[in-house]
Amino acid sequence: LMPLASNQVRDKINELTETHGLPIVTLNTDIADCGRLAYVGPDNIACGRTAAALMGLTISGTGRVLPILGQQSGHFADTQRLSGFLSEMSESFPNVTVMSPEYCFLDQDLAERITARALRDVDNLSGIYLSSVGRSGVYQAIRRASKQGQVHVVVHDLTADNLQMIREGVVDFAIGQDAETQAWLPLRLLYQYLTKRKSPTQRQYTTEIGIKFRCNLTD
């Protein structure tokens, strides 16, 4: 299960596990205080810190950065990544101004309008941080304004569109979360529990943070 950050979801998980004995493993995003067997996925705060470190070094510790998030509430990954990003920027790059985050609500057209407005109106805009999946609207706005390489972009997830944007010089870094392990490990944990009554040896299985940029892409 990849849960939303909702009390109703948490209560339903607890009901299924405690009342009905149904084993549940969460992946990719977790939910606090629920009775799941284990969580398999990234440390999203560490992912956000990684994004801030890459951005801060790329823009030489100065300028303004606009975070664009997919959702304003209901998704722990967005919230935790932004928290990590802000913490690392504050601690390591105090001369970088992080603007108030914008939310595109998974709407590519809205993401494009947000980006186009920022590129036009924000003085000294050095970077854009995308906390969720690749935003084609953001990329379209950057290409239309011919800002590739001038406004630096750090994004999460090693999706095909993000990697292609690295090749085209639109994105500087894409941060992965070991999606392969997230795909097979929850199934193995559930199989071992159902067939052997073997509980996971730990409550959290944190996946690796991988970084792709122009020098380590494979064709």
Side-chain angles (χ1 to χ4, degrees):
L1 178 69
M2 189 171 70
L4 293 175
S6 161
N7 288 336
Q8 289 178 301
V9 173
R10 182 195 62 210
D11 292 344
K12 177 57 69 173
I13 291 174
N14 289 336
E15 176 190 335
L16 291 172
T17 56
E18 296 169 6
T19 304
H20 302 286
L22 185 68
I24 293 175
V25 174
T26 57
L27 71 150
N28 187 256
T29 181
D30 202 12
I31 186 167
D33 302 323
C34 73
R36 47 96 169 125
L37 277 179
Y39 162 66
V40 178
D43 178 338
N44 282 303
I45 292 178
C47 289
R49 282 186 169 274
T50 300
L54 293 170
M55 179 66 79
L57 292 170
T58 300
I59 64 177
S60 301
T62 187
R64 306 182 78 181
V65 174
L66 173 64
I68 300 179
L69 280 67
Q71 301 179 72
Q72 192 165 8
S73 62
H75 194 257
F76 270 154
D78 270 357
T79 303
Q80 292 176 328
R81 286 170 179 173
L82 180 62
S83 175
F85 187 87
L86 294 174
S87 295
E88 181 64 24
M89 274 296 185
S90 175
E91 294 168 15
S92 300
F93 304 98
N95 293 325
V96 173
T97 299
V98 180
M99 301 169 59
S100 298
E102 297 272 8
Y103 300 90
C104 69
F105 302 100
L106 309 182
D107 183 331
Q108 305 294 358
D109 292 336
L110 177 56
E112 182 175 355
R113 293 196 298 273
I114 289 169
T115 305
R117 183 175 66 246
L119 293 174
R120 182 185 65 243
D121 297 341
V122 177
D123 293 331
N124 200 26
L125 180 65
S126 300
I128 295 175
Y129 168 53
L130 302 176
S131 75
S132 293
V133 296
R135 296 280 174 248
S136 61
V138 174
Y139 305 151
Q140 181 71 5
I142 290 173
R143 285 182 294 193
R144 284 183 174 175
S146 298
K147 292 292 187 178
Q148 302 97 313
Q150 299 176 47
V151 175
H152 299 280
V153 178
V154 177
V155 64
H156 291 276
D157 298 318
L158 305 183
T159 57
D161 60 336
N162 287 339
L163 299 182
Q164 181 59 34
M165 289 301 101
I166 292 176
R167 295 184 180 95
E168 295 184 16
V170 177
V171 171
D172 293 80
F173 296 97
I175 301 169
Q177 52 182 311
D178 194 0
E180 183 176 338
T181 297
Q182 292 184 55
W184 65 261
L185 183 53
L187 296 178
R188 174 175 290 183
L189 295 174
L190 288 171
Y191 175 80
Q192 290 176 337
Y193 183 83
L194 292 170
T195 61
K196 304 176 182 178
R197 304 306 294 179
K198 181 180 178 181
S199 296
T201 57
Q202 55 198 73
R203 290 273 290 168
Q204 291 190 334
Y205 293 81
T206 303
T207 53
E208 291 290 330
I209 297 174
I211 300 169
K212 288 290 186 180
F213 66 117
R214 63 179 182 82
C215 293
N216 68 348
L217 288 182
T218 56
D219 294 331

